[in-house]
Amino acid sequence: MSTSNHTRNDPQQASFRMGARRNLGAPVEKALNSSRTFRRLIAYFRPETGRLVLLFICVAVGASASIIAPTLQSSAIDSIAAKQFEALPRFLVLMIIMYLLHSAFTLLQEYVSAHLSQRIIKRMRSDLFGKMLRLPVSYLDNHSHGDLMSRMTNDAENISNVVSSSFSSLCSGVLMLVGTLTVMLIYSWQLTLISCSVIIFSVLFTRIISKSIRKYYLRQQELLGSVNGIVVEDVNFYRTVTAYNQQDKAVRKFAETSDDLTKTGIIAQIISNSMGPMMNMLNNVSFVLVAVFGAIFVIRGSITVGVISAFIVYSKQFSRPINELAQLYGEIQTALAGAERIFEVLDHVDETDTGTHRMPSTQGVIEFKHVNFSYVPGKQIIYDFNLKVEAGKKIALVGSTGSGKTTIINLLMRYYDIDSGEITLDGVNIRDIPLKDLRDNIGIVLQETVLFTDTIRSNIAYAKPDATEEEIRAAAESACCDAMIETLPEGYETVLTGSGANLSQGQRQLMTIGRAFLSYPYVLILDEATSNVDTRTEKNIQDAMCRLMEGRTSLIIAHRLSTIQDADQIIVMDHGHIAETGTHNELIARQGQYYSLYNTQFAGKAT
């Protein structure tokens, strides 16, 4: 077997050359505390000890076979040179066995690595997803959802790639370096020094090239982010783009950024792809030096012809792990940075639940006593808020945007904890009530519709998974969406896609209201629940709500003042204070802020 064929057909070598060109000079993200992150990451490997041992055995056997094969090749060549043909078949058979062992255990290594990486990442993603569901609402409000998704997907995938390929490559590279260097020194320390001198030069050359093109990869990454941002923005807001006839401007902006990306990418790829030919040239120089000096040593009788053949193979095997390990450093650092970002979420404190006063059911009496609150320390939102809501009463919160209406709901649901004061439910401080009991007793319908990619039946039953068919249909009928559902091709089995994108906004809102009906809460919160439905549908919903709210405490946030005229009490809020309280008629007669809001709205002006 010729040396050139051996190196040309080595799949690991080919894979490395492609990977080196692809990642050369790419920016490496590093963890702030690599050692601590590494120790925590190792903890995920402990349940997989058996697979780790099997993986190491596969790597060790495969590396050993690669190291032994050139020795057998050297012996075979020496046998031919000495015309000792009787030993040749034995060497050839052993060579075939070594190459078969290498291939078989490399295949098994890939199989074990794939299982190992997927099991570890599955465990990590399960921990991260479970943690996200236990995080305080304040954490999710203050962190980009896209960033959290990136930790779940991109960061976890980087770790998976390192475990599946880089981990075994690291072990294999170290074993190959140690084993190959040992055999080379045994054969000839002089030729070993010659080979190492060329290898050291190639490593230095690689580092210089990597630094020189790093700026192009950074610029390419920035431009790629810009292109993605332009596409996402213009596609999401295409109605606005077309409404203002800005299509040509959007195309020009995309084309300019895309052109910059193309030019930068071409330069980066040209320099990066030049590494292949340059490394091949250095390898060929190494072969020439080994052949020339090897021939001199053969003439002197210090080595044999077979040793030269083996050295050419070993020099190739020795240079590959060095470059590969240099490449793995960046991949491992990026994976550790991703792991650190995941652990950052896992380390965040869970939503505080100190409640021990069990309340499986309530009367529905709510009281706010001298409540003060600020989302950001030093920037107060709610000031000395006092309000008592008797059981079964319907209370409306109105006011301009930013007056604190939704904040009051967030505090009642304990999405945020108050700075001072007290909020009670049936005389019990809500901090003393387990979150499950508190939220089981409160039904909420938000202005933003929330539907899942599932059947209509499952979406309505989300509030009560064990609901019967009769209960689900009764809730839908109460929300005035039963007839609409029956007109769909699959009825209640219709699968909603894209958060209900196959329904109108009004239909989606009706279904979320039906979900709230099904929970039969003691306290009902409606945050602009009818803002996205037409007037006729709104009237039907109002009638259904009146039936539902009988005997139940209801808090309604509304900008459309026509929907809350029958409220038992209307609370007018202004910059975190209660400006006015009373019924609709009382507040109109008082001609205060509510009167101004009402007249402004029905005069057709913005509130």
Side-chain angles (χ1 to χ4, degrees), residues 337-527:
E340 188 174 60
R341 282 162 46 82
I342 291 175
F343 293 145
E344 179 187 345
V345 178
L346 293 176
D347 288 341
H348 197 279
V349 294
D350 291 349
E351 187 176 35
T352 304
D353 187 3
T354 57
T356 57
H357 193 289
R358 294 301 310 278
M359 295 184 68
S361 62
T362 68
Q363 297 295 319
V365 179
I366 303 170
E367 187 170 5
F368 294 80
K369 302 177 183 177
H370 304 288
V371 170
N372 293 282
F373 173 73
S374 55
Y375 288 106
V376 179
K379 297 182 179 180
Q380 195 164 343
I381 300 296
I382 302 298
Y383 299 85
D384 195 32
F385 187 85
N386 293 276
L387 175 66
K388 184 172 184 179
V389 183
E390 298 293 345
K393 298 297 183 180
K394 182 165 70 171
I395 306 299
L397 299 175
V398 302
S400 59
T401 300
S403 60
K405 305 182 298 296
T406 301
T407 299
I408 294 299
I409 302 304
N410 288 337
L411 298 179
L412 177 60
M413 294 292 292
R414 279 202 67 194
Y415 292 151
Y416 292 84
D417 283 329
I418 60 178
D419 297 337
S420 62
E422 186 180 37
I423 304 175
T424 64
L425 182 62
D426 292 350
V428 180
N429 192 320
I430 61 173
R431 287 184 175 179
D432 298 328
I433 303 173
L435 289 174
K436 184 179 186 305
D437 288 356
L438 175 67
R439 293 168 185 171
D440 276 347
N441 283 286
I442 300 177
I444 185 168
V445 178
L446 302 174
Q447 178 179 4
E448 180 184 359
T449 58
V450 178
L451 295 173
F452 301 94
T453 302
D454 205 339
T455 64
I456 289 179
R457 172 180 283 99
S458 297
N459 270 280
I460 296 178
Y462 191 79
K464 187 181 179 182
D466 58 348
T468 64
E469 182 71 17
E470 291 73 17
E471 289 175 324
I472 294 173
R473 289 183 176 273
E477 186 176 352
S478 298
C480 304
C481 62
D482 178 67
M484 176 272 294
I485 295 172
E486 292 294 354
T487 62
L488 298 174
E490 305 295 330
Y492 282 84
E493 299 303 322
T494 300
V495 176
L496 302 180
T497 58
S499 299
N502 47 342
L503 298 177
S504 69
Q505 181 65 35
Q507 290 172 329
R508 295 199 294 269
Q509 189 66 288
L510 286 171
M511 290 183 55
T512 60
I513 293 172
R515 178 194 297 159
F517 286 0
L518 185 60
S519 66
Y520 294 107
Y522 290 88
V523 176
L524 182 66
I525 296 174
L526 304 172
D527 187 353

Side-chain angles (χ1 to χ4, degrees), residues 305-317:
V305 176
V307 171
I308 298 176
S309 173
F311 247 92
I312 292 175
V313 177
Y314 280 132
S315 62
K316 186 69 136 180
Q317 288 187 173

Side-chain angles (χ1 to χ4, degrees), residues 27-42:
V28 177
E29 186 179 3
K30 294 185 178 180
L32 298 178
N33 192 332
S34 297
S35 58
R36 178 176 177 271
T37 303
F38 180 75
R39 288 193 299 270
R40 291 194 61 181
L41 189 59
I42 287 297

Side-chain angles (χ1 to χ4, degrees), residues 114-410:
H115 274 263
L116 181 66
S117 65
Q118 292 305 315
R119 288 173 65 88
I120 289 173
I121 293 307
K122 175 187 176 183
R123 194 177 303 115
M124 183 173 288
R125 279 181 171 149
S126 297
D127 290 347
L128 183 58
F129 183 73
K131 182 68 178 184
M132 286 181 177
L133 297 181
R134 299 191 304 272
L135 287 170
V137 172
S138 58
Y139 182 92
L140 298 175
D141 284 345
N142 294 323
H143 288 76
S144 166
H145 292 182
D147 177 66
L148 293 175
M149 288 302 300
S150 177
R151 300 181 195 221
M152 175 72 76
T153 54
N154 297 339
D155 292 336
E157 193 62 29
N158 286 336
I159 298 171
S160 175
N161 290 337
V162 167
V163 175
S164 64
S165 59
S166 301
F167 180 75
S168 57
S169 296
L170 179 63
C171 296
S172 176
V174 172
L175 291 175
M176 288 291 290
L177 276 177
V178 175
T180 301
L181 182 60
T182 300
V183 176
M184 289 171 70
L185 288 171
I186 292 173
Y187 274 136
S188 173
W189 64 268
Q190 297 96 332
L191 286 180
T192 301
L193 289 179
I194 294 172
S195 297
C196 287
S197 63
V198 177
I199 291 169
I200 292 173
F201 182 78
S202 67
V203 171
L204 292 175
F205 176 78
T206 301
R207 290 180 62 87
I208 294 172
I209 292 295
S210 298
K211 291 180 180 179
S212 67
I213 68 170
R214 181 179 178 83
K215 62 179 180 179
Y216 291 106
Y217 271 105
L218 287 170
R219 178 60 178 161
Q220 185 179 20
Q221 195 173 42
E222 292 172 359
L223 290 171
L224 182 59
S226 298
V227 168
N228 290 337
I230 292 172
V231 172
V232 171
E233 191 173 78
D234 288 343
V235 169
N236 286 342
F237 306 135
Y238 75 96
R239 293 180 185 274
T240 302
V241 174
T242 56
Y244 288 93
N245 294 316
Q246 294 297 312
Q247 298 95 321
D248 292 340
K249 180 181 178 181
V251 170
R252 284 196 303 272
K253 183 179 179 182
F254 175 83
E256 290 171 0
T257 308
S258 182
D259 287 344
D260 290 341
L261 176 62
T262 301
K263 294 174 184 176
T264 305
I266 289 174
I267 295 174
Q269 288 298 318
I270 287 175
I271 300 177
S272 178
N273 290 336
S274 68
M275 279 301 297
M278 293 301 297
M279 293 302 294
N280 285 333
M281 183 191 72
L282 291 174
N283 287 333
N284 291 331
V285 169
S286 176
F287 297 157
V288 171
L289 291 176
V290 169
V292 171
F293 285 93
I296 295 174
F297 296 150
V298 169
I299 293 172
R300 292 179 179 178
S302 56
I303 62 173
T304 65
V305 176
V307 171
I308 298 176
S309 173
F311 247 92
I312 292 175
V313 177
Y314 280 132
S315 62
K316 186 69 136 180
Q317 288 187 173
F318 188 69
S319 62
R320 179 178 63 83
I322 293 177
N323 289 314
E324 195 171 50
L325 291 175
Q327 178 193 359
L328 291 178
Y329 173 79
E331 295 178 0
I332 292 172
Q333 287 296 328
T334 300
L336 287 176
E340 188 174 60
R341 282 162 46 82
I342 291 175
F343 293 145
E344 179 187 345
V345 178
L346 293 176
D347 288 341
H348 197 279
V349 294
D350 291 349
E351 187 176 35
T352 304
D353 187 3
T354 57
T356 57
H357 193 289
R358 294 301 310 278
M359 295 184 68
S361 62
T362 68
Q363 297 295 319
V365 179
I366 303 170
E367 187 170 5
F368 294 80
K369 302 177 183 177
H370 304 288
V371 170
N372 293 282
F373 173 73
S374 55
Y375 288 106
V376 179
K379 297 182 179 180
Q380 195 164 343
I381 300 296
I382 302 298
Y383 299 85
D384 195 32
F385 187 85
N386 293 276
L387 175 66
K388 184 172 184 179
V389 183
E390 298 293 345
K393 298 297 183 180
K394 182 165 70 171
I395 306 299
L397 299 175
V398 302
S400 59
T401 300
S403 60
K405 305 182 298 296
T406 301
T407 299
I408 294 299
I409 302 304
N410 288 337

